[in-house]
Amino acid sequence: MEQLNLTPTPRVRRPRPQVVSLTEAAADRVRDIMARADKPYAGLRVGVKNGGCAGQEYVLEYAQAADPMDEVVQDKGVTILVEPKAVLFLIGTVVDYETTALSSKFVFRNPNETDACGCGESVTIVPQTDDTEA
């Protein structure tokens, strides 16, 4: 009788997309702020919270340490810590830093956004889904 091999073959995983990336302007600004800070930071924490008239708002803060469940992204010399609950909302997002005659701010270019409020403070984001696996 022929012996069956019951050892599962490891599945080859496709490369994961980078959750968030920075433009050179955003990376320069983050590095500059962190270099002048009065205490050391582990990285820039990025997240999403409920709020605003469109339903959700982006959150940026400087983190002293990574949380165990954070998605850690290294981009252009900056460590980005993505809150676990925000990962599916932020896949493919590019964070830019813009300076105009009236303001300077970080701007999110998120392919998952479906709507934004008139003042630009909140957005509607549909989480990324993976329809390719069955």
Side-chain angles (χ1 to χ4, degrees), residues 97-127:
Y97 185 75
E98 293 181 346
T99 301
T100 67
L102 300 175
S103 70
S104 297
K105 62 184 177 180
F106 287 99
V107 177
F108 288 76
R109 295 188 186 2
N110 185 342
N112 305 303
E113 274 185 32
T114 59
D115 196 13
C117 67
C119 66
E121 292 297 319
S122 66
V123 294
T124 303
I125 307 170
V126 177

Side-chain angles (χ1 to χ4, degrees), residues 31-79:
R31 286 192 303 265
D32 182 51
I33 291 170
M34 288 185 168
R36 291 187 285 128
D38 56 352
K39 57 186 167 187
Y41 290 111
L44 176 68
R45 178 162 288 116
V46 180
V48 176
K49 70 176 185 175
N50 291 334
C53 50
Q56 295 163 305
E57 298 173 345
Y58 294 110
V59 178
L60 282 177
E61 63 184 14
Y62 298 99
Q64 293 182 15
D67 290 335
M69 298 301 290
D70 282 343
E71 178 87 17
V72 180
V73 176
Q74 299 288 335
D75 191 33
K76 297 176 182 65
V78 175
T79 301

Side-chain angles (χ1 to χ4, degrees), residues 83-95:
E83 296 175 350
K85 64 182 182 181
V87 169
L88 292 177
F89 292 98
L90 296 175
I91 291 175
T93 297
V94 176
V95 180

